Amino acid sequence: MLLRIRNFIGRHLDDPDLTPEVIARAHHISVRYLHKIFEGEDTTVSRWIQSRRLEACRRDLAHREAASLSIVAVAQGWGFTSAAHFSRMFRAAYGMSPSEWRDTHRP
């Protein structure tokens, strides 16, 4: 079940409306059971989604193909709806701002 849920999240990662409720409904389980499944992963569903989104943004910011996109466009493309929230979460996860990451990791 965890693998199916992770695959579902991966396919819908760019959807800003992806929530535990949406995931649970798609798998015909309760939100409570969904959270219980993730207890063994030492994270919550929401944190797992957020970390996957941050990883996708970090990867895209370093790619030449995304160089023409603004940082906000990259973040929105992966489901972040607030530029300020994205920037705070990125800095907390990687120790630098998205623009600093892009500048130091761009090919």
CSV table of all heavy atoms in Angstrom, one decimal, residues 15-74:
chain,number,residue,atom,x,y,z
A,15,ASP,N,0.5,18.9,-8.4
A,15,ASP,CA,-0.8,19.4,-8.1
A,15,ASP,C,-0.8,20.1,-6.7
A,15,ASP,O,-0.6,19.5,-5.7
A,15,ASP,CB,-1.8,18.2,-8.0
A,15,ASP,CG,-3.2,18.6,-7.8
A,15,ASP,OD1,-3.5,19.8,-7.5
A,15,ASP,OD2,-4.1,17.8,-7.9
A,16,PRO,N,-1.1,21.4,-6.7
A,16,PRO,CA,-1.1,22.1,-5.4
A,16,PRO,C,-2.2,21.7,-4.5
A,16,PRO,O,-2.2,21.9,-3.3
A,16,PRO,CB,-1.3,23.6,-5.8
A,16,PRO,CG,-1.7,23.6,-7.2
A,16,PRO,CD,-1.3,22.3,-7.8
A,17,ASP,N,-3.2,21.0,-5.0
A,17,ASP,CA,-4.3,20.5,-4.2
A,17,ASP,C,-4.1,19.1,-3.7
A,17,ASP,O,-5.0,18.5,-3.1
A,17,ASP,CB,-5.6,20.6,-5.0
A,17,ASP,CG,-6.0,22.0,-5.3
A,17,ASP,OD1,-5.8,22.9,-4.5
A,17,ASP,OD2,-6.5,22.2,-6.5
A,18,LEU,N,-2.9,18.6,-3.8
A,18,LEU,CA,-2.6,17.3,-3.3
A,18,LEU,C,-2.5,17.3,-1.8
A,18,LEU,O,-1.6,18.0,-1.2
A,18,LEU,CB,-1.3,16.8,-3.9
A,18,LEU,CG,-0.8,15.4,-3.5
A,18,LEU,CD1,-1.8,14.3,-4.0
A,18,LEU,CD2,0.6,15.1,-4.0
A,19,THR,N,-3.4,16.7,-1.1
A,19,THR,CA,-3.5,16.7,0.3
A,19,THR,C,-3.6,15.2,0.8
A,19,THR,O,-4.0,14.3,0.0
A,19,THR,CB,-4.7,17.5,0.8
A,19,THR,OG1,-5.9,16.9,0.3
A,19,THR,CG2,-4.6,18.9,0.4
A,20,PRO,N,-3.4,15.0,2.1
A,20,PRO,CA,-3.7,13.7,2.7
A,20,PRO,C,-5.1,13.2,2.4
A,20,PRO,O,-5.4,12.1,2.1
A,20,PRO,CB,-3.4,13.8,4.1
A,20,PRO,CG,-2.4,14.9,4.2
A,20,PRO,CD,-2.8,15.9,3.1
A,21,GLU,N,-6.1,14.2,2.4
A,21,GLU,CA,-7.5,13.8,2.2
A,21,GLU,C,-7.7,13.3,0.7
A,21,GLU,O,-8.3,12.3,0.5
A,21,GLU,CB,-8.4,15.0,2.4
A,21,GLU,CG,-8.5,15.4,3.8
A,21,GLU,CD,-7.3,16.2,4.4
A,21,GLU,OE1,-6.5,16.7,3.6
A,21,GLU,OE2,-7.1,16.3,5.6
A,22,VAL,N,-7.1,14.0,-0.2
A,22,VAL,CA,-7.1,13.6,-1.6
A,22,VAL,C,-6.5,12.2,-1.8
A,22,VAL,O,-7.0,11.3,-2.5
A,22,VAL,CB,-6.5,14.6,-2.5
A,22,VAL,CG1,-6.3,14.1,-4.0
A,22,VAL,CG2,-7.3,15.9,-2.5
A,23,ILE,N,-5.3,12.0,-1.2
A,23,ILE,CA,-4.6,10.7,-1.3
A,23,ILE,C,-5.4,9.6,-0.7
A,23,ILE,O,-5.6,8.5,-1.3
A,23,ILE,CB,-3.2,10.8,-0.7
A,23,ILE,CG1,-2.4,11.9,-1.4
A,23,ILE,CG2,-2.5,9.5,-0.6
A,23,ILE,CD1,-1.2,12.3,-0.6
A,24,ALA,N,-6.0,9.8,0.5
A,24,ALA,CA,-6.8,8.8,1.2
A,24,ALA,C,-8.0,8.4,0.3
A,24,ALA,O,-8.3,7.2,0.1
A,24,ALA,CB,-7.2,9.3,2.5
A,25,ARG,N,-8.7,9.4,-0.2
A,25,ARG,CA,-9.9,9.2,-1.0
A,25,ARG,C,-9.5,8.4,-2.3
A,25,ARG,O,-10.3,7.5,-2.6
A,25,ARG,CB,-10.5,10.5,-1.4
A,25,ARG,CG,-11.9,10.4,-2.0
A,25,ARG,CD,-12.6,11.7,-2.2
A,25,ARG,NE,-11.8,12.9,-2.5
A,25,ARG,CZ,-11.5,13.9,-1.6
A,25,ARG,NH1,-12.0,13.9,-0.4
A,25,ARG,NH2,-10.8,14.9,-2.0
A,26,ALA,N,-8.4,8.7,-2.9
A,26,ALA,CA,-8.0,8.0,-4.1
A,26,ALA,C,-7.7,6.5,-3.8
A,26,ALA,O,-7.8,5.7,-4.7
A,26,ALA,CB,-6.8,8.7,-4.7
A,27,HIS,N,-7.3,6.2,-2.6
A,27,HIS,CA,-7.0,4.8,-2.2
A,27,HIS,C,-8.0,4.1,-1.4
A,27,HIS,O,-7.8,3.0,-0.9
A,27,HIS,CB,-5.6,4.8,-1.5
A,27,HIS,CG,-4.5,5.2,-2.4
A,27,HIS,ND1,-4.2,6.5,-2.7
A,27,HIS,CD2,-3.7,4.4,-3.2
A,27,HIS,CE1,-3.2,6.5,-3.6
A,27,HIS,NE2,-2.9,5.2,-3.9
A,28,HIS,N,-9.2,4.8,-1.2
A,28,HIS,CA,-10.3,4.2,-0.5
A,28,HIS,C,-9.9,3.8,0.9
A,28,HIS,O,-10.3,2.8,1.4
A,28,HIS,CB,-10.9,3.1,-1.3
A,28,HIS,CG,-11.2,3.4,-2.7
A,28,HIS,ND1,-12.3,4.2,-3.1
A,28,HIS,CD2,-10.6,3.0,-3.8
A,28,HIS,CE1,-12.3,4.3,-4.4
A,28,HIS,NE2,-11.3,3.6,-4.9
A,29,ILE,N,-9.2,4.7,1.6
A,29,ILE,CA,-8.8,4.5,3.0
A,29,ILE,C,-9.1,5.8,3.7
A,29,ILE,O,-9.3,6.9,3.1
A,29,ILE,CB,-7.3,4.1,3.1
A,29,ILE,CG1,-6.4,5.2,2.6
A,29,ILE,CG2,-7.0,2.8,2.4
A,29,ILE,CD1,-4.9,5.0,2.8
A,30,SER,N,-9.0,5.7,5.0
A,30,SER,CA,-9.3,6.9,5.8
A,30,SER,C,-8.0,7.7,5.9
A,30,SER,O,-6.9,7.2,5.8
A,30,SER,CB,-9.7,6.5,7.2
A,30,SER,OG,-8.7,5.9,8.0
A,31,VAL,N,-8.1,9.0,6.2
A,31,VAL,CA,-6.9,9.8,6.5
A,31,VAL,C,-6.1,9.3,7.6
A,31,VAL,O,-4.9,9.3,7.6
A,31,VAL,CB,-7.3,11.3,6.6
A,31,VAL,CG1,-6.1,12.2,7.0
A,31,VAL,CG2,-8.0,11.8,5.4
A,32,ARG,N,-6.8,8.9,8.6
A,32,ARG,CA,-6.2,8.3,9.8
A,32,ARG,C,-5.3,7.1,9.5
A,32,ARG,O,-4.2,7.0,9.9
A,32,ARG,CB,-7.2,7.9,10.9
A,32,ARG,CG,-6.7,7.3,12.1
A,32,ARG,CD,-7.8,7.0,13.1
A,32,ARG,NE,-7.4,6.2,14.2
A,32,ARG,CZ,-6.9,6.6,15.3
A,32,ARG,NH1,-6.6,7.8,15.5
A,32,ARG,NH2,-6.5,5.7,16.2
A,33,TYR,N,-5.8,6.2,8.6
A,33,TYR,CA,-5.1,5.0,8.2
A,33,TYR,C,-3.9,5.5,7.3
A,33,TYR,O,-2.8,4.9,7.5
A,33,TYR,CB,-6.0,4.0,7.5
A,33,TYR,CG,-5.2,2.8,7.1
A,33,TYR,CD1,-4.7,1.9,8.1
A,33,TYR,CD2,-5.0,2.4,5.8
A,33,TYR,CE1,-4.0,0.8,7.7
A,33,TYR,CE2,-4.4,1.3,5.4
A,33,TYR,CZ,-3.8,0.5,6.4
A,33,TYR,OH,-3.1,-0.7,6.1
A,34,LEU,N,-4.1,6.4,6.5
A,34,LEU,CA,-3.0,7.0,5.7
A,34,LEU,C,-1.8,7.4,6.6
A,34,LEU,O,-0.7,7.1,6.3
A,34,LEU,CB,-3.5,8.1,4.8
A,34,LEU,CG,-2.4,8.8,3.9
A,34,LEU,CD1,-1.8,7.8,2.9
A,34,LEU,CD2,-3.0,10.0,3.2
A,35,HIS,N,-2.2,8.2,7.6
A,35,HIS,CA,-1.1,8.7,8.5
A,35,HIS,C,-0.5,7.5,9.2
A,35,HIS,O,0.7,7.6,9.5
A,35,HIS,CB,-1.7,9.7,9.5
A,35,HIS,CG,-2.0,11.0,8.9
A,35,HIS,ND1,-1.1,11.8,8.4
A,35,HIS,CD2,-3.2,11.7,8.8
A,35,HIS,CE1,-1.6,12.9,7.9
A,35,HIS,NE2,-2.9,12.9,8.1
A,36,LYS,N,-1.2,6.5,9.6
A,36,LYS,CA,-0.7,5.3,10.2
A,36,LYS,C,0.3,4.6,9.3
A,36,LYS,O,1.4,4.2,9.8
A,36,LYS,CB,-1.8,4.4,10.7
A,36,LYS,CG,-1.3,3.3,11.5
A,36,LYS,CD,-2.5,2.7,12.2
A,36,LYS,CE,-2.1,1.6,13.2
A,36,LYS,NZ,-1.4,2.1,14.4
A,37,ILE,N,0.1,4.6,8.1
A,37,ILE,CA,1.0,3.9,7.1
A,37,ILE,C,2.3,4.7,7.1
A,37,ILE,O,3.4,4.0,7.0
A,37,ILE,CB,0.4,3.9,5.7
A,37,ILE,CG1,-0.8,2.9,5.6
A,37,ILE,CG2,1.4,3.6,4.6
A,37,ILE,CD1,-1.6,3.0,4.4
A,38,PHE,N,2.3,6.0,7.2
A,38,PHE,CA,3.5,6.8,7.2
A,38,PHE,C,4.2,6.8,8.5
A,38,PHE,O,5.4,7.3,8.5
A,38,PHE,CB,3.2,8.2,6.6
A,38,PHE,CG,3.3,8.3,5.1
A,38,PHE,CD1,2.2,7.9,4.4
A,38,PHE,CD2,4.4,8.7,4.5
A,38,PHE,CE1,2.3,8.0,3.0
A,38,PHE,CE2,4.5,8.8,3.2
A,38,PHE,CZ,3.4,8.4,2.4
A,39,GLU,N,3.6,6.4,9.6
A,39,GLU,CA,4.3,6.4,10.9
A,39,GLU,C,5.6,5.6,10.8
A,39,GLU,O,6.6,6.0,11.4
A,39,GLU,CB,3.4,5.8,12.0
A,39,GLU,CG,2.4,6.8,12.5
A,39,GLU,CD,1.5,6.1,13.6
A,39,GLU,OE1,1.7,5.0,13.9
A,39,GLU,OE2,0.6,6.8,14.0
A,40,GLY,N,5.6,4.5,10.1
A,40,GLY,CA,6.8,3.6,10.0
A,40,GLY,C,7.9,4.3,9.2
A,40,GLY,O,9.0,3.8,9.2
A,41,GLU,N,7.6,5.3,8.5
A,41,GLU,CA,8.6,6.1,7.7
A,41,GLU,C,9.2,7.2,8.4
A,41,GLU,O,10.0,7.9,7.9
A,41,GLU,CB,7.9,6.6,6.4
A,41,GLU,CG,7.3,5.5,5.5
A,41,GLU,CD,8.3,4.5,5.0
A,41,GLU,OE1,9.3,4.9,4.4
A,41,GLU,OE2,8.2,3.3,5.4
A,42,ASP,N,8.8,7.4,9.7
A,42,ASP,CA,9.3,8.4,10.5
A,42,ASP,C,9.1,9.8,9.9
A,42,ASP,O,10.0,10.7,10.0
A,42,ASP,CB,10.8,8.2,10.8
A,42,ASP,CG,11.3,9.0,12.0
A,42,ASP,OD1,10.5,9.1,13.0
A,42,ASP,OD2,12.5,9.4,12.0
A,43,THR,N,8.0,10.0,9.3
A,43,THR,CA,7.6,11.3,8.7
A,43,THR,C,6.0,11.3,8.6
A,43,THR,O,5.4,10.3,8.8
A,43,THR,CB,8.2,11.6,7.3
A,43,THR,OG1,8.0,12.9,7.0
A,43,THR,CG2,7.7,10.6,6.3
A,44,THR,N,5.5,12.5,8.3
A,44,THR,CA,4.1,12.6,8.0
A,44,THR,C,3.9,12.6,6.5
A,44,THR,O,4.8,12.8,5.7
A,44,THR,CB,3.5,13.8,8.6
A,44,THR,OG1,4.1,15.0,7.9
A,44,THR,CG2,3.7,13.9,10.1
A,45,VAL,N,2.7,12.4,6.0
A,45,VAL,CA,2.4,12.4,4.6
A,45,VAL,C,2.7,13.8,4.1
A,45,VAL,O,3.3,13.9,3.0
A,45,VAL,CB,0.9,12.1,4.4
A,45,VAL,CG1,0.5,12.2,2.9
A,45,VAL,CG2,0.5,10.8,4.9
A,46,SER,N,2.3,14.8,4.8
A,46,SER,CA,2.5,16.2,4.3
A,46,SER,C,4.0,16.5,4.2
A,46,SER,O,4.5,17.1,3.2
A,46,SER,CB,1.8,17.2,5.2
A,46,SER,OG,0.4,17.0,5.1
A,47,ARG,N,4.8,16.1,5.2
A,47,ARG,CA,6.2,16.3,5.1
A,47,ARG,C,6.9,15.5,4.0
A,47,ARG,O,7.8,16.0,3.4
A,47,ARG,CB,6.9,16.0,6.4
A,47,ARG,CG,6.6,17.1,7.5
A,47,ARG,CD,7.5,16.9,8.7
A,47,ARG,NE,7.1,17.9,9.7
A,47,ARG,CZ,6.7,17.6,10.9
A,47,ARG,NH1,6.7,16.4,11.3
A,47,ARG,NH2,6.4,18.6,11.7
A,48,TRP,N,6.4,14.4,3.7
A,48,TRP,CA,6.9,13.5,2.7
A,48,TRP,C,6.7,14.2,1.3
A,48,TRP,O,7.6,14.3,0.5
A,48,TRP,CB,6.4,12.1,2.7
A,48,TRP,CG,7.2,11.2,2.0
A,48,TRP,CD1,8.3,10.5,2.4
A,48,TRP,CD2,7.0,10.7,0.6
A,48,TRP,NE1,8.9,9.7,1.4
A,48,TRP,CE2,8.1,9.8,0.3
A,48,TRP,CE3,6.1,10.9,-0.4
A,48,TRP,CZ2,8.2,9.2,-0.9
A,48,TRP,CZ3,6.2,10.3,-1.6
A,48,TRP,CH2,7.2,9.4,-1.8
A,49,ILE,N,5.4,14.7,1.1
A,49,ILE,CA,5.1,15.5,-0.1
A,49,ILE,C,6.0,16.7,-0.2
A,49,ILE,O,6.6,16.9,-1.3
A,49,ILE,CB,3.6,15.9,-0.1
A,49,ILE,CG1,2.7,14.7,-0.2
A,49,ILE,CG2,3.3,16.9,-1.2
A,49,ILE,CD1,1.2,15.0,0.1
A,50,GLN,N,6.1,17.4,0.8
A,50,GLN,CA,6.9,18.6,0.8
A,50,GLN,C,8.4,18.3,0.5
A,50,GLN,O,9.0,19.0,-0.3
A,50,GLN,CB,6.8,19.3,2.2
A,50,GLN,CG,7.6,20.7,2.2
A,50,GLN,CD,7.3,21.3,3.5
A,50,GLN,OE1,7.9,20.8,4.5
A,50,GLN,NE2,6.6,22.4,3.6
A,51,SER,N,8.9,17.3,1.1
A,51,SER,CA,10.4,17.0,0.8
A,51,SER,C,10.5,16.5,-0.7
A,51,SER,O,11.5,16.8,-1.3
A,51,SER,CB,10.9,15.9,1.8
A,51,SER,OG,10.3,14.7,1.6
A,52,ARG,N,9.6,15.8,-1.2
A,52,ARG,CA,9.7,15.4,-2.6
A,52,ARG,C,9.6,16.6,-3.5
A,52,ARG,O,10.3,16.7,-4.5
A,52,ARG,CB,8.6,14.4,-3.0
A,52,ARG,CG,8.5,13.1,-2.3
A,52,ARG,CD,9.7,12.1,-2.5
A,52,ARG,NE,10.9,12.4,-1.8
A,52,ARG,CZ,11.2,12.1,-0.5
A,52,ARG,NH1,10.2,11.6,0.2
A,52,ARG,NH2,12.3,12.3,0.0
A,53,ARG,N,8.7,17.5,-3.2
A,53,ARG,CA,8.6,18.7,-4.0
A,53,ARG,C,9.9,19.6,-3.9
A,53,ARG,O,10.4,20.1,-4.9
A,53,ARG,CB,7.4,19.6,-3.5
A,53,ARG,CG,6.1,19.0,-3.9
A,53,ARG,CD,4.9,19.9,-3.4
A,53,ARG,NE,3.7,19.4,-4.0
A,53,ARG,CZ,2.5,19.7,-3.5
A,53,ARG,NH1,2.4,20.4,-2.4
A,53,ARG,NH2,1.4,19.2,-4.1
A,54,LEU,N,10.4,19.7,-2.7
A,54,LEU,CA,11.7,20.4,-2.6
A,54,LEU,C,12.8,19.8,-3.4
A,54,LEU,O,13.6,20.5,-4.1
A,54,LEU,CB,12.1,20.5,-1.1
A,54,LEU,CG,11.3,21.5,-0.3
A,54,LEU,CD1,11.6,21.3,1.2
A,54,LEU,CD2,11.6,23.0,-0.7
A,55,GLU,N,12.9,18.5,-3.4
A,55,GLU,CA,13.9,17.8,-4.1
A,55,GLU,C,13.7,18.0,-5.6
A,55,GLU,O,14.7,18.2,-6.4
A,55,GLU,CB,13.8,16.2,-3.9
A,55,GLU,CG,14.4,15.9,-2.5
A,55,GLU,CD,14.2,14.4,-2.2
A,55,GLU,OE1,13.9,13.6,-3.2
A,55,GLU,OE2,14.3,14.0,-1.1
A,56,ALA,N,12.5,18.0,-6.1
A,56,ALA,CA,12.2,18.2,-7.5
A,56,ALA,C,12.6,19.7,-7.9
A,56,ALA,O,13.2,19.9,-9.0
A,56,ALA,CB,10.8,18.0,-7.8
A,57,CYS,N,12.3,20.6,-7.1
A,57,CYS,CA,12.7,22.0,-7.3
A,57,CYS,C,14.2,22.2,-7.3
A,57,CYS,O,14.8,22.8,-8.2
A,57,CYS,CB,12.1,22.9,-6.3
A,57,CYS,SG,10.3,23.1,-6.4
A,58,ARG,N,14.8,21.6,-6.4
A,58,ARG,CA,16.3,21.7,-6.3
A,58,ARG,C,17.0,21.1,-7.5
A,58,ARG,O,17.9,21.7,-8.1
A,58,ARG,CB,16.8,20.9,-5.0
A,58,ARG,CG,18.3,21.0,-4.9
A,58,ARG,CD,18.7,20.3,-3.6
A,58,ARG,NE,18.5,18.9,-3.8
A,58,ARG,CZ,19.2,17.9,-3.1
A,58,ARG,NH1,20.1,18.3,-2.2
A,58,ARG,NH2,19.0,16.7,-3.2
A,59,ARG,N,16.5,20.0,-8.0
A,59,ARG,CA,17.0,19.3,-9.2
A,59,ARG,C,16.7,20.2,-10.4
A,59,ARG,O,17.6,20.5,-11.2
A,59,ARG,CB,16.3,18.0,-9.4
A,59,ARG,CG,16.8,17.2,-10.6
A,59,ARG,CD,15.9,16.0,-10.9
A,59,ARG,NE,14.5,16.4,-11.2
A,59,ARG,CZ,13.5,16.0,-10.5
A,59,ARG,NH1,13.6,15.2,-9.5
A,59,ARG,NH2,12.3,16.4,-10.9
A,60,ASP,N,15.5,20.8,-10.5
A,60,ASP,CA,15.2,21.6,-11.7
A,60,ASP,C,16.0,22.9,-11.7
A,60,ASP,O,16.4,23.4,-12.7
A,60,ASP,CB,13.7,22.0,-11.7
A,60,ASP,CG,12.9,20.8,-12.3
A,60,ASP,OD1,13.5,19.7,-12.6
A,60,ASP,OD2,11.7,20.9,-12.3
A,61,LEU,N,16.2,23.5,-10.5
A,61,LEU,CA,17.0,24.7,-10.4
A,61,LEU,C,18.4,24.6,-10.9
A,61,LEU,O,19.1,25.5,-11.3
A,61,LEU,CB,17.0,25.3,-9.0
A,61,LEU,CG,15.6,25.9,-8.6
A,61,LEU,CD1,15.7,26.2,-7.1
A,61,LEU,CD2,15.2,27.1,-9.4
A,62,ALA,N,18.9,23.4,-10.9
A,62,ALA,CA,20.3,23.1,-11.3
A,62,ALA,C,20.4,22.7,-12.8
A,62,ALA,O,21.5,22.6,-13.3
A,62,ALA,CB,20.9,22.0,-10.4
A,63,HIS,N,19.3,22.5,-13.4
A,63,HIS,CA,19.3,22.0,-14.8
A,63,HIS,C,19.3,23.2,-15.8
A,63,HIS,O,18.6,24.2,-15.6
A,63,HIS,CB,18.1,21.1,-15.1
A,63,HIS,CG,18.2,19.8,-14.6
A,63,HIS,ND1,18.1,18.7,-15.4
A,63,HIS,CD2,18.5,19.3,-13.4
A,63,HIS,CE1,18.3,17.6,-14.7
A,63,HIS,NE2,18.5,17.9,-13.4
A,64,ARG,N,20.0,23.0,-16.8
A,64,ARG,CA,20.2,24.0,-17.9
A,64,ARG,C,18.8,24.3,-18.5
A,64,ARG,O,18.5,25.4,-18.9
A,64,ARG,CB,21.2,23.5,-18.9
A,64,ARG,CG,21.4,24.5,-20.0
A,64,ARG,CD,22.4,23.9,-21.1
A,64,ARG,NE,23.5,23.2,-20.6
A,64,ARG,CZ,24.7,23.8,-20.3
A,64,ARG,NH1,24.9,25.0,-20.5
A,64,ARG,NH2,25.7,23.0,-19.8
A,65,GLU,N,18.0,23.2,-18.7
A,65,GLU,CA,16.7,23.4,-19.3
A,65,GLU,C,15.7,24.3,-18.6
A,65,GLU,O,14.9,24.9,-19.2
A,65,GLU,CB,16.0,22.0,-19.5
A,65,GLU,CG,16.7,21.0,-20.4
A,65,GLU,CD,17.8,20.3,-19.6
A,65,GLU,OE1,17.8,20.2,-18.4
A,65,GLU,OE2,18.8,19.9,-20.3
A,66,ALA,N,15.9,24.4,-17.3
A,66,ALA,CA,15.0,25.3,-16.5
A,66,ALA,C,15.6,26.7,-16.2
A,66,ALA,O,15.1,27.5,-15.5
A,66,ALA,CB,14.8,24.6,-15.1
A,67,ALA,N,16.8,27.0,-16.9
A,67,ALA,CA,17.5,28.3,-16.6
A,67,ALA,C,16.6,29.5,-17.0
A,67,ALA,O,16.7,30.5,-16.4
A,67,ALA,CB,18.8,28.3,-17.4
A,68,SER,N,15.7,29.3,-18.0
A,68,SER,CA,14.9,30.4,-18.5
A,68,SER,C,13.7,30.6,-17.5
A,68,SER,O,13.0,31.6,-17.6
A,68,SER,CB,14.4,30.2,-19.9
A,68,SER,OG,13.6,29.0,-20.0
A,69,LEU,N,13.4,29.6,-16.7
A,69,LEU,CA,12.3,29.8,-15.8
A,69,LEU,C,12.7,30.5,-14.5
A,69,LEU,O,13.8,30.4,-14.0
A,69,LEU,CB,11.8,28.4,-15.3
A,69,LEU,CG,11.2,27.5,-16.4
A,69,LEU,CD1,10.9,26.1,-15.9
A,69,LEU,CD2,9.9,28.1,-17.0
A,70,SER,N,11.7,31.3,-14.0
A,70,SER,CA,12.0,32.0,-12.7
A,70,SER,C,11.9,30.9,-11.6
A,70,SER,O,11.3,29.9,-11.8
A,70,SER,CB,10.9,33.1,-12.5
A,70,SER,OG,9.7,32.5,-12.2
A,71,ILE,N,12.5,31.3,-10.5
A,71,ILE,CA,12.4,30.4,-9.3
A,71,ILE,C,11.0,30.2,-8.9
A,71,ILE,O,10.6,29.0,-8.6
A,71,ILE,CB,13.3,31.0,-8.2
A,71,ILE,CG1,14.7,30.9,-8.6
A,71,ILE,CG2,13.0,30.2,-6.9
A,71,ILE,CD1,15.7,31.6,-7.7
A,72,VAL,N,10.2,31.2,-9.0
A,72,VAL,CA,8.8,31.1,-8.6
A,72,VAL,C,8.1,30.1,-9.6
A,72,VAL,O,7.3,29.3,-9.1
A,72,VAL,CB,8.1,32.4,-8.6
A,72,VAL,CG1,6.6,32.3,-8.5
A,72,VAL,CG2,8.6,33.3,-7.5
A,73,ALA,N,8.4,30.2,-10.9
A,73,ALA,CA,7.8,29.3,-11.8
A,73,ALA,C,8.1,27.8,-11.6
A,73,ALA,O,7.3,26.9,-11.7
A,73,ALA,CB,8.2,29.7,-13.3
A,74,VAL,N,9.4,27.6,-11.2
A,74,VAL,CA,9.8,26.2,-10.9
A,74,VAL,C,9.1,25.7,-9.6
A,74,VAL,O,8.5,24.6,-9.6
A,74,VAL,CB,11.3,26.2,-10.6
A,74,VAL,CG1,11.8,24.8,-10.0
A,74,VAL,CG2,12.1,26.5,-11.9
